[in-house]
Each structure stands twice: as structure tokens, then as C-alpha cells.
Amino acid sequence: MGQISLKERIGYGFGDMASSMFWKLFGIYLLFFYTDVMGLPAAAVGTLLLITRIWDTLLDPVIGMIADRTQSRFGKFRPYLLYLAVPFGIMGIVTFTVPNFGSQQQLLIYVYGTYSLMMLVYSFINVPYAALLGVISEDPKERNILASFRMGFAFAGSFVALALIEPLISYRGGSTQLSMPQNATAWQWAVGVIAILCVILFLFCFAWVKERVQPIRQKSTALKTDLRDLLSNKPWTILVVAGIAVLIFNSIRDGAAMYYFRYYIHEKEAVQLGPIAINFSTLYLVIGQIANLIGVVLAFPLANKYGKKRCFSVAMGIASILSILFFWMGQYDLVLIFLLQFMISCCAGTVFPLLWSMYADIADYSEWKTGRRATGLIFSSSSMSQKMGWTLGSALTAWLLAAFGFQANQVQAELAQTGIRLMLSWLPAIGSVIALIMIYFYPLTEAELQRIGTILKEQRISENAI
């Protein structure tokens, strides 16, 4: 099939760079935006996030099956990048827009509607994008490279979003550290800049990527057959649960970070550059993204030497231990806090590209086992696990804030401060330990995958010769 060009690898990475900009904004700032800018109660926001994301998560497999059955001159999955790039940007801006409503009930209705629509658009562009990894190349090593590019650009996108959002808000006269009227307009403007970048990146991804891998059998199957095959796929089940646990680990840490620095560290601006303020929380998050990128770079050299399963296990084990240590950090232990953030984020950065590459392996396993290739459905499950972990982590963060007595824009009681510390330490560690336990039972070794790949290649050569 030949080596994939550098341009196409970069183009594929651009897609997740775009998705990750808003993924990171949602993971770190959306709960904070709803509670401290819109003024909604934390418990109500937690319920909102759970309800809207559950139905959206369950929709992902349906979108995957629709994408598998799409036929167009652009292929199965690329058309979604072309036609949904602009709606994605528009809904991103609307999600971070505060309407001129007078009551909390009206605000909640608005938020339920706009966030649900945003996640619907996100699913319809992100599920087909994820499935592209399974059809660009059939070479496992090339897929590893593509997964590395994907996650490298994903973390770069998160880095860009984190580096831009607070300076852009500050430039327009707002602040993430204060509750004031101009904040709403500043947030909308800042998110608008990021949304434009996302649209451009999706269009480049569409233009530079090609679909090459065709299934061995082209006959259509019933949706219930595809679902039955998926649910009986043991490696898929294990990886979905592990993926959910990893996202719970990550989303709780991300969601609590702003509260940790504002209400426990009591941060002030670390650096003032004219009208732009750089806070300790921004430095903390940026350090995390740099570490994530380092983890991505290390992932596949280590995986190629020691195996994906072993690398995954070691990374989650180290992350669990370091997360627990985070609980004992004091308000003035900033150097240690940043150091732990760097090391934990390196571990997380190592795990995420392994997950995506393992889903591509499962697509091969499924085709070998059933004779049918359901790439979109397999990769929709990765999006499903991502959203489910994010959903549970975000909802738990909001509910725990309420349970510990958190009150927005006020000095927090000792119980609330302890709760916020737990959300950076023990609570995310539970997620990483669950992921570690699940991956222990993952059965697809490198030798088994090589055997399956050889069989599939021979079958494709045989069918093409007929």
C-alpha cells in the first residue's frame, strides 16, 4: 500500500487538533463557565452534563453505523469533515454565549438545548474522523505513526486552546478569576477566535487525507448483526471500560484544576504582559499539555519495544501513585505541584495514543472473527467511551463540589477545600486503577495481531485476484 506521506499524516492530525481545542475547553472551563460566569448551581450543572452527555454517548454507535453505510465520491468518513466543520464552529461559540435571560430556569433550558446540539455536531464529525484511522492504511506500524500524529496534534490543539483562552479573555477586559458583566462578551469573543481555527483545521484534514482500505466483503448487514458482533467482542469490551476509566481520571483532574487554583491556592497573576494576565492555573495547564506531548512522542517507541499492553499498565500505575501524592501538596508547594502535574500528564499522554491504536487493532480482530469490517462502529465505541468517561468525571466533579459545600465566588470552607484537593488526587486515582485492572485482561498481543494481519492481507489479495 505504500508509505503515507508526511502531508497526509499532518492532515490527519489536524482533525483531532480541531476537536481537542473544544474538548479541552469543555473539560476544563465549561463547568467553571456555567457556575462562575452564568451563575448556575453546581449540582444543577452536574445533572445537566450527565443527562445531555448520556444520550449523546449512546448515539455514537448509531453514527458509526451510519458512517459505515455512507457512500459518496469523498468516501465513507471524509464527507462529514467537509459538511460539519462550519456548524461545529458555530455551535462552539453558541455554547459559550450567555443570553439575556432573567431567570435560572430559562438559562438552564438554554444550556440544555445548546450543549445538546453542540455534542450532536461534535459526534457527527468526530466519530467519522476517528474511523479514518482504520481506512487510511492497513499497516499496523503506519497506524501507530498516524495515531502518534493524531495524539500529538490533539495535545498541541489543547495546548493552543489553553494558551489562548485566558489571554484572549483578558485582552477583551474579562477574567477567569473574577465575576463581572464584561466576562460574558469576553468569553464569547475568545471562543470565537478558537472556533475559526477549528473550522480551518477540519477543512485541511478533509483535503489532505485519503481513504484506502476496503472491506473484504461488501455485502450489507443488519444493524442488529453489527451490534451483536460488537457486544460479543471481548477485546472491545475490555478496552471500552479501560477507556472510560482513563477519561474519568483525566476529566476529574481537568475539571477541578480551575477551582483548585482559585479557591485552594488563592492564586494571583503570575505574569502581567500589558493587558494580558497569565495565571498560575494557566501555567499549570500548559505544563500539562507539554507533558502530554512528550508522552505521545514516547508512546510508540516504548510500545514497539515492550508492547502496548505493558506500556499502558506501567503508565497507569505510575499515574495512580503520583495522583495520590498530590493530596499532600500545600498552598505554597507550587514547584512540587507543577512537577507532579508534569509527570502525571506524561503518563496520560502515553496512554491516549495507545488506546486509539488498539481500537484499530480491534477493527482488524473483528473483521477476522466475523468476516465483516465495521470500522465506523468500532471507532464510534472509542468516542462513546471517551464521552462516557468525560460525562461521569464531569458530573462527579460538579456533584462533589455541591456535596462538599462549594459556593461560587466566595471564600470556601475547609470541607470544600478538602474536597477540591481530593479531586486532584485520590478520586482520579480510582479511575486510573480501574483502567490498570481492565487492561490486565486485554488479550490482543503483538504476536496475535501480526498473525491476524497476515490472514487478512492474504484474504484481500485472494479476493482482488478473483
Side-chain angles (χ1 to χ4, degrees), residues 36 61 70 76 100 124 130 163 182 230 288 296 305 348 405 419 457:
D36 285 42
T70 298
K76 290 180 177 293
N100 294 319
F124 263 103
Q182 63 263 42
L230 185 68
V296 169
K305 183 174 182 180
K457 187 175 182 178

Side-chain angles (χ1 to χ4, degrees), residues 380-427:
S380 72
S381 67
S382 67
S383 175
M384 181 184 72
S385 68
Q386 195 175 31
K387 289 180 181 176
M388 184 62 73
W390 181 25
T391 296
L392 294 174
S394 298
L396 281 170
T397 302
W399 290 335
L400 286 166
L401 284 171
F404 286 118
F406 168 78
Q407 297 292 325
N409 302 307
Q410 296 182 23
V411 175
Q412 303 303 313
E414 184 177 350
L415 179 61
Q417 290 193 8
T418 301
I420 291 170
R421 290 165 60 206
L422 286 171
M423 285 185 276
L424 268 293
S425 54
W426 285 94
L427 295 176

Side-chain angles (χ1 to χ4, degrees), residues 298-314:
L298 293 174
F300 286 109
L302 292 174
N304 288 337
K305 183 174 182 180
Y306 299 107
K308 297 175 189 176
K309 179 176 177 177
R310 183 179 297 178
C311 287
F312 190 110
S313 300
V314 171

Side-chain angles (χ1 to χ4, degrees), residues 287 329-342:
I287 285 171
M329 295 299 101
Q331 293 175 329
Y332 301 103
D333 296 328
L334 287 173
V335 173
L336 287 175
I337 287 171
F338 290 149
L339 180 61
L340 284 174
Q341 164 72 341
F342 180 85

Side-chain angles (χ1 to χ4, degrees), residues 172-208:
R172 296 290 290 186
S175 172
T176 59
Q177 300 304 309
L178 299 171
S179 179
M180 51 188 180
Q182 63 263 42
N183 254 355
T185 302
W187 275 90
Q188 184 187 48
W189 184 86
V191 172
V193 173
I194 293 173
I196 292 171
L197 293 175
C198 291
V199 172
I200 294 171
L201 289 168
F202 273 131
L203 294 178
F204 271 114
C205 181
F206 163 79
W208 288 1

